[in-house]
Amino acid sequence: MQKPAPIGVFDSGYGGLTVLKEIVNKLPQYDYIYLGDNARAPYGNRSFETVYHYTLQCVQWFFEQGCSLVILACNTASAKALRTIQQNDLPKIAPDKRVLGVIRPTTEVIGNYSESKSVGILATNGTVISNSYPIEIEKFFPNLSVTQEACPMWVPLVENNEYQSHGADFFVKKNLASIFGKDPKIDVILLACTHYPLLKEKIREYLPVGVKLVSQGEIIAASLEDYLNRHPEIEKKCSKGGKQLFYTTDSTEDFDNHATNFFSQSIKSLHIDLS
Ligand code: DGL
């Protein structure tokens, strides 16, 4: 039998670290490998073909490291690449391995947070255009009204360390005004991009009173725990040493300096070249 290996956690850049942080809190016993494709981030405005091609390349890299389970901790990659990878690629390249995303687990529970039965989804252009959230939510909460808003400037603000600046105020205010203009009944705002939790403080300043702000980290961690309980055949292939390794496709110095904001711990990353 194949040797147990770490669980892979992928994002286009730093955002997935907000998810990994919650996963490690909940499931500290496992080993993890994180890969940020920082050299090619952001993915949010890229075409389906490009996001699929980049994501598949990263997933294959995780498989080369021995990982049997890979989490796409990126909504854009989950929206644009996950289904094709699961349905077309895995059966051919790695039928015993699994790739999971962040959209499905979120849509399974999001309706439970809302009393008014109106939720707002803030995400990248790519995630919004894919319509993945409304389509998936409809399956679990058919009576929930779902309003989306693309916030194309938010990831660049976060990636460039401008999330506490006045520039961030401008764009946060603008996108929140727009989504509440479309549906004033919204009482839950979902941060459907793993970068957005860094803007939480700013978002709260402009959020109408009583509106709940939901980010995905804890939801994904709980769902992963449940998945591992239900799939002992995958669980036993995940190594348990409590270690985390970090890789980036760009500068390790930038990654280490920046990643602390997302992971609340200092990080020493390694570089890989995928191009
Ligand atoms: N963090 C990714 C997400 O959750 C998107 C970032 C990007 O645009 O690359 O959608």
Side-chain angles (χ1 to χ4, degrees), residues 41-238:
Y43 281 12
N45 291 323
R46 295 190 188 274
S47 69
F48 270 81
E49 291 68 27
T50 303
V51 173
Y52 163 66
H53 171 69
Y54 288 174
T55 307
L56 179 61
Q57 211 182 9
C58 293
V59 164
Q60 281 175 309
W61 177 83
F62 279 111
F63 291 167
E64 284 159 21
Q65 312 313 302
C67 303
S68 287
L69 178 62
V70 177
I71 317 288
L72 303 185
C74 173
N75 287 274
T76 311
S78 298
K80 292 183 154 188
L82 179 63
R83 185 172 300 231
T84 315
I85 291 176
Q86 284 175 332
Q87 293 180 353
N88 295 356
D89 297 299
L90 279 190
K92 286 185 234 142
I93 61 171
D96 298 335
K97 298 185 186 265
R98 295 291 174 269
V99 181
L100 306 175
V102 288
I103 295 181
R104 174 77 183 234
T106 309
T107 58
E108 279 174 7
V109 298
I110 192 65
N112 300 334
Y113 292 83
S114 173
E115 274 156 37
S116 68
K117 298 297 156 213
S118 280
V119 301
I121 310 286
L122 302 177
T124 63
N125 260 335
T127 302
V128 168
I129 291 166
S130 76
N131 239 2
S132 301
Y133 272 94
I135 293 169
E136 287 294 315
I137 290 175
E138 164 90 39
K139 294 182 192 155
F140 302 105
F141 301 98
N143 299 321
L144 198 67
S145 153
V146 181
T147 304
Q148 303 192 90
E149 172 78 12
C151 309
M153 290 304 291
W154 291 19
V155 169
L157 283 168
V158 171
E159 288 272 325
N160 291 293
N161 232 344
E162 292 285 343
Y163 58 93
Q164 283 160 331
S165 70
H166 293 308
D169 280 90
F170 176 84
F171 287 105
V172 166
K173 207 168 148 185
K174 175 179 165 186
N175 290 121
L176 287 180
S178 168
I179 195 165
F180 283 100
K182 290 185 249 181
D183 181 2
K185 284 206 347 276
I186 291 171
D187 68 348
V188 170
I189 284 287
L190 171 69
L191 302 182
C193 171
T194 53
H195 280 68
Y196 295 176
L198 271 86
L199 285 159
K200 249 182 174 172
E201 271 175 41
K202 285 244 176 283
I203 298 169
R204 284 218 174 89
E205 281 176 42
Y206 298 105
L207 213 55
V209 182
V211 174
K212 288 184 210 117
L213 194 57
V214 177
S215 45
Q216 294 175 294
E218 287 174 30
I219 297 174
I220 304 310
S223 153
L224 177 59
E225 183 177 42
D226 179 54
Y227 178 87
L228 292 170
N229 284 336
R230 285 184 293 110
H231 294 275
E233 75 290 359
I234 300 291
E235 198 278 341
K236 68 174 188 245
K237 294 182 190 164
C238 302

